[in-house]
Amino acid sequence: MKTPRAFFKPLAIGAPEPYRELPVRLERMIHFVPPHVEKMRAKVPDLVKSVDVVLGNLEDAIPADKKIEARQGFIAMAKENDFGDTGLWTRVNCLNSPWLLDDIVEIVGAVGDKLDVVMLPKVEGPWDIHYLDQLLAQLEARHGIAKPILIHAILETAEGVKNVDSIATASPRMHGMSLGPADLAASRGMKTTRVGGGHPDYAVLADKAGEAPRTAFQQDLWHYTVARMVDACMSAGIKPFYGPFGDFSDLEACEAQFRNAFLMGCLGAWSLHPTQIDIAKRVFSPDAGEVAFAKKILEAMPDGTGAVMIDGKMQDDATWKQAKVIVDLARLVAKKDPERGAAYGL
Ligand code: GLV
Ligand code: MG
């Protein structure tokens, strides 16, 4: 473990100071784009207006013979578009692949000043984060990048889940983590071929009561992992996300999966299909009633100190901070999405 003083030092001379607090960003959905497909890249200007994060995917789902085109396509889409408040991320190939080194070196060299976050797949332990952290610092220094590039880990191996706490605290560059249910299922030897969601055979059977038919209650395969990830992330001051939902034909099940993740503390999810964008907006935007109440708290405590009663509920410095998180988020939503924002009356 580094000493507290060393933890926030740049890892290369000339690299930017690491953030002490993460920038406040709206990240309800991380929208995946296959950057080697020109038709998909052509949609990026519209996507920038409708999604919170545009991610150029270089890893799984990109054929091995298209890896270089995907990297070049990502660089092109980063150069050609103004992303404004919309996040620009890339999911690079995994650390032991033949592509990772050039993914990072070429992308940071070409568009490092526009890149917000590198999503790193199949993270096994803090050593994976340390490697990328050092490499990014060297490249930031070489290219005079002013704003630190953040790292987002995918939690998708049994070893990664075992080490989730030390991954979350490995570097001030850590932005957050996403659950990767497909690779995690494979790594654990789980007996499912689905990408996220429930499984009809993972159930608890009601007790026997004479001859009456017994009801099977389906359980959530991902509950344990999401809970561990949320605890690891929130205790480290970084952000937990649910990852992919693979059945594009089942919007209800996707919404249920996103909502479970949201209720457990996740801040967003991946959208792999345009229909999942609206689901993520619905699920991960703050509730209008909550925003109205949070506004009352902020108005009743203009300097954020002391204690007041609102609708019979005690408010103090801590609830003021919670209220500020909700109102700040609502303001970001209103800016991005004025129709939804109208309901917040900000
Ligand atoms: C995502 O990468 C997954 O494996 O689920
Ligand atoms: Mg995966």
Side-chain angles (χ1 to χ4, degrees), residues 59-60 91 121-122 154 156 180-184 244 270:
E59 200 224 10
D60 292 356
R91 177 169 81 164
K122 301 179 178 70
I154 311 182
E156 54 180 351
D183 271 301
L184 183 55
W270 301 1

Side-chain angles (χ1 to χ4, degrees), residues 28 42 48 74 144 149 157 171 176 195 225 232-233 274 295 298 333:
R28 294 167 297 177
V48 167
F74 176 73
I149 298 166
T157 68
S171 158
V195 178
T225 319
C233 288
K295 255 173 48 190
L298 297 188
V333 172

Side-chain angles (χ1 to χ4, degrees), residues 14-339:
E17 290 272 334
Y19 289 122
R20 288 185 180 247
E21 296 291 339
L22 287 177
V24 178
R25 300 292 294 254
L26 189 61
E27 291 162 340
R28 294 167 297 177
M29 81 297 298
I30 303 163
H31 189 74
F32 273 52
V33 175
H36 60 296
V37 184
E38 211 178 317
K39 199 175 87 195
M40 294 302 204
R41 284 206 312 272
K43 295 186 181 170
V44 171
D46 284 336
L47 277 177
V48 167
K49 291 182 216 132
S50 67
V51 305
D52 299 341
V53 174
V54 176
L55 176 144
N57 179 28
L58 311 185
E59 200 224 10
D60 292 356
I62 308 299
D65 63 352
K66 293 281 184 274
K67 292 286 188 187
I68 313 285
E69 273 174 63
R71 185 194 301 148
Q72 288 165 349
F74 176 73
I75 291 173
M77 72 182 232
K79 282 191 173 157
E80 283 159 13
N81 291 284
D82 177 1
F83 289 84
D85 291 336
T86 303
L88 175 64
W89 297 23
T90 180
R91 177 169 81 164
V92 291
N93 288 287
C94 59
L95 285 165
N96 62 1
S97 76
W99 304 291
L100 180 275
L101 183 62
D102 291 334
D103 285 348
I104 300 290
V105 170
E106 289 181 21
I107 287 172
V108 177
V111 291
D113 52 343
K114 291 183 100 171
L115 183 66
D116 295 301
V117 176
V118 172
M119 181 184 273
L120 186 65
K122 301 179 178 70
V123 173
E124 304 263 35
W127 50 87
D128 290 338
I129 305 299
H130 294 156
Y131 170 81
L132 183 57
D133 194 8
Q134 184 72 61
L135 181 60
L136 285 170
Q138 289 169 331
L139 293 167
E140 286 167 342
R142 171 182 287 175
H143 299 290
I145 289 163
K147 165 173 87 66
I149 298 166
L150 297 175
I151 300 174
H152 183 102
I154 311 182
L155 192 62
E156 54 180 351
T157 68
E159 174 87 358
V161 175
K162 242 175 56 189
N163 293 319
V164 65
D165 296 321
S166 50
I167 293 169
T169 54
S171 158
R173 215 186 270 284
M174 283 300 293
H175 162 278
M177 257 179 238
S178 290
L179 173 74
D183 271 301
L184 183 55
S187 164
R188 279 178 174 161
M190 290 167 73
K191 311 302 180 289
T192 169
T193 52
R194 299 177 174 205
V195 178
H199 193 292
D201 296 341
Y202 192 67
V204 172
L205 210 55
D207 282 0
K208 241 187 183 153
E211 294 307 309
R214 298 169 70 180
T215 314
F217 297 96
Q218 197 172 318
Q219 308 289 296
D220 181 0
L221 272 175
W222 307 109
H223 180 84
Y224 159 79
T225 319
V226 172
R228 277 207 68 180
M229 178 181 73
V230 168
D231 283 346
C233 288
M234 295 310 247
S235 61
I238 67 169
K239 300 179 179 182
F241 291 72
Y242 176 76
F245 189 86
D247 185 350
F248 301 159
S249 69
D250 194 346
L251 302 183
E252 273 176 67
C254 176
E255 180 151 353
Q257 176 72 77
F258 283 11
R259 184 156 283 110
N260 285 350
F262 170 70
L263 289 172
M264 287 190 73
C266 291
L267 297 171
W270 301 1
S271 49
L272 303 182
H273 188 273
T275 53
Q276 297 181 338
I277 297 172
D278 279 340
I279 298 177
K281 283 187 181 168
R282 214 166 30 247
V283 172
F284 293 103
S285 298
D287 172 75
E290 283 259 52
V291 175
F293 190 69
K295 255 173 48 190
K296 274 195 200 171
I297 300 174
L298 297 188
E299 281 155 16
M301 297 171 61
D303 70 353
T305 68
V308 295
M309 295 297 289
I310 300 177
D311 302 347
K313 300 186 186 91
M314 197 270 303
Q315 311 299 329
D316 65 3
D317 305 46
T319 54
W320 186 90
K321 285 182 205 147
Q322 293 171 333
K324 186 149 177 0
V325 168
I326 291 177
V327 172
D328 284 351
L329 190 62
R331 280 191 209 290
L332 294 177
V333 172
K335 199 165 154 208
K336 180 102 209 174
D337 190 347
E339 220 171 287

